[in-house]
Amino acid sequence: MTTATRTTAARPQNREAGTATQGYAAESATTPLGPFQFERRVPGPTDVQIEILFCGVCHSDLHQARDEWGGTTFPVVPGHEIVGRVTGVGNQVTRFKAGDLAGVGCMVDSCGTCTDCKDGLEQFCTRELTFTYNSPDPHTGAVTYGGYSSHIVVDERFVLRVSDKLDPATAAPLLCAGITTYSPLREWKVGPGQKVGIVGLGGLGHMGVKLAHAMGAKVVLFTTSVDKIADARRLGADEVVVSRNPDEFTPHANSFDFILDTVAAPHNLDDYTALLKRDGTLCLVGAPSQPHPTPSVTNLIFRRRRIAGSLIGGIQETQEMLDFCAEHGIGADIELISIQEINDAYERMLKSDVKYRFVIDLKSLEREGSAAG
Ligand code: NAP
Ligand code: ZN
């Protein structure tokens, strides 16, 4: 997600010639993604250089490649669910060495000194938050380019350890879809004895179902897709509500402690606030480009219900989530694609036709030539 504005001066820029990098970019909001060559910065003392093995395809990639949120800088190289092998480290790096498996999520830098950063909530840094792509790059003065590419250079503070217990391809979506659902489930202390709703069975939603189930909650999945009912149960849902059938909501009125809404399109929130218990929370993580219809105030005030939002998660919590997933054997359910299939994948994502995350095998970039050497 790219919403922050920078308010401080950028750090000294490294204009040394960088490393040739092969990627895939959209040149405008209406052009398909295609091959694109650019340079990564020369690794500095605190940098980790990573050969990208796999990159998940988030709906936020599509929103930004098509400039649906406004403010995309073109060409844009999307991708913020990155898992790869460390190929080199700067001389001050202590936590990584060549050969390690490593992950990079939605952020690659922040000021490190504000209250949000000190609280481990770098995603809320308003001074110098740098997203993995489509963000002003304090190192180069240009724009950041993401994980649809052969390799990346990232400050050690924003590199995650990925356990060898995890399959690197199914671990990639944890870096965004995983943490974006894990963080609110933890913030609202989801656990045994609670009834939790997950709205939408896409990339985020299917991770929400798996994680809420692993945390011990009773999980109800809300879907518009009848053909996902069996999968939802296999992934950990105790019950499934087909949201196109209003009658299916009635038995659940006033019964939920927490509902996590991952839907990427505007819809009626009152259907869900009406299902919350007194003091229950509907947390929105889906970020449609158009607003939802205004929710009913009455629905909220008579049961002190809340509507909240949540943005990815901090670096420490992302590591905690990766370790939780390694311990519980949790990865994403993926469809592995080549980079050449990315435009078809976007079209299928728009039709809610993905089970349940596309992941790009970056080996397929070799077909585009060898800028990366
Ligand atoms: P996705 O894989 O496309 O899943 C979205 C799901 O929403 C679909 O599979 C579908 O599930 C449901 N859906 C789609 N259109 C719908 C409609 N018109 N009405 C009702 N349900 C609909 O997308 P994703 O990658 O999970 O991302 C979801 C949203 O979260 C995007 O807007 C993305 O930008 C945002 N996001 C936010 C954060 C954050 O930090 N807050 C982080 C990452 C992504 P069913 O078929 O089950 O109905
Ligand atoms: Zn994402």
Side-chain angles (χ1 to χ4, degrees):
M1 308 204 48
T2 303
T3 50
T5 48
R6 191 182 314 291
T7 55
T8 54
R11 63 192 61 186
Q13 293 169 8
N14 175 4
R15 295 203 177 274
E16 214 180 318
T19 319
T21 304
Q22 181 70 53
Y24 248 55
E27 297 282 351
S28 81
T30 53
T31 44
L33 279 81
F36 173 69
Q37 297 190 354
F38 60 100
E39 288 191 346
R40 294 284 185 198
R41 71 174 184 265
V42 172
T46 60
D47 281 336
V48 178
Q49 186 172 38
I50 299 164
E51 178 198 1
I52 301 176
L53 301 174
F54 299 103
C55 184
V57 178
C58 179
H59 207 113
S60 303
D61 299 349
L62 187 158
H63 286 310
Q64 290 178 84
R66 300 190 177 178
D67 202 15
E68 291 176 354
W69 292 336
T72 299
T73 303
F74 291 98
V76 60
V77 178
H80 57 207
E81 294 185 337
I82 298 166
V83 169
R85 273 289 158 208
V86 175
T87 52
V89 297
N91 59 14
Q92 290 172 23
V93 169
T94 56
R95 293 187 302 117
F96 295 93
K97 60 179 187 328
D100 287 350
L101 207 53
V104 179
C106 300
M107 306 178 283
V108 288
D109 217 333
S110 73
C111 83
T113 56
C114 70
T115 316
D116 296 314
C117 287
K118 285 196 168 142
D119 287 345
L121 296 167
E122 299 88 351
Q123 74 272 31
F124 300 123
C125 173
T126 50
R127 297 174 67 197
E128 205 175 308
L129 180 60
T130 306
F131 288 101
T132 304
Y133 65 87
N134 192 28
S135 216
D137 186 340
H139 293 272
T140 63
V143 72
T144 53
Y145 292 131
Y148 298 5
S149 60
S150 53
H151 64 281
I152 193 165
V153 177
V154 179
D155 189 283
E156 173 180 36
R157 275 201 307 132
F158 287 84
V159 182
L160 286 308
R161 291 186 310 281
V162 176
S163 163
D164 289 334
K165 287 189 201 157
L166 290 167
D167 168 353
T170 65
L174 303 179
L175 275 306
C176 175
I179 184 60
T180 302
T181 48
Y182 182 90
S183 181
L185 292 172
R186 284 289 191 228
E187 176 66 21
W188 274 273
K189 301 186 173 39
V190 162
Q194 289 195 337
K195 184 172 170 185
V196 170
I198 305 289
V199 188
L201 197 67
L204 267 56
H206 95 289
M207 288 311 309
V209 169
K210 288 188 183 204
L211 292 168
H213 174 75
M215 290 172 189
K218 175 177 176 176
V219 181
V220 180
L221 185 270
F222 296 84
T223 181
T224 58
S225 308
V226 179
D227 67 337
K228 294 182 183 173
I229 294 175
D231 277 348
R233 290 186 182 278
R234 175 180 58 79
L235 295 167
D238 298 285
E239 286 183 51
V240 181
V241 169
V242 177
S243 52
R244 296 191 194 281
N245 301 336
D247 292 352
E248 294 193 27
F249 284 80
T250 314
H252 293 283
N254 288 304
S255 67
F256 281 87
D257 296 281
F258 182 70
I259 300 178
L260 186 64
D261 188 332
T262 74
V263 172
H267 56 283
N268 184 0
L269 302 183
D270 295 341
D271 290 343
Y272 298 102
T273 56
L275 302 188
L276 295 169
K277 281 178 179 167
R278 191 201 72 215
D279 290 320
T281 299
L282 169 66
C283 179
L284 308 177
V285 287
S289 53
Q290 299 300 316
H292 296 296
T294 309
S296 154
V297 173
T298 315
N299 253 8
L300 302 178
I301 61 181
F302 276 92
R303 303 291 294 158
R304 201 161 59 189
R305 294 158 168 150
R306 292 152 197 168
I307 298 179
S310 188
L311 175 68
I312 44 176
I315 291 297
Q316 191 183 327
E317 193 173 46
T318 306
Q319 189 63 62
E320 179 190 307
M321 176 275 309
L322 285 167
D323 296 345
F324 178 92
C325 288
E327 189 186 322
H328 289 83
I330 296 175
D333 281 32
I334 67 164
E335 291 189 46
L336 201 60
I337 60 168
S338 68
I339 189 74
Q340 292 79 11
E341 294 172 289
I342 188 65
N343 295 300
D344 291 339
Y346 278 11
E347 290 309 313
R348 282 188 52 199
M349 191 155 60
L350 280 175
K351 293 184 210 143
S352 304
D353 175 25
V354 44
K355 297 197 169 153
Y356 280 91
R357 195 56 136 189
F358 291 116
V359 171
I360 305 165
D361 182 345
L362 271 311
K363 269 205 303 286
S364 57
L365 262 181
E366 286 166 13
R367 289 184 227 157
E368 306 293 345
S370 58

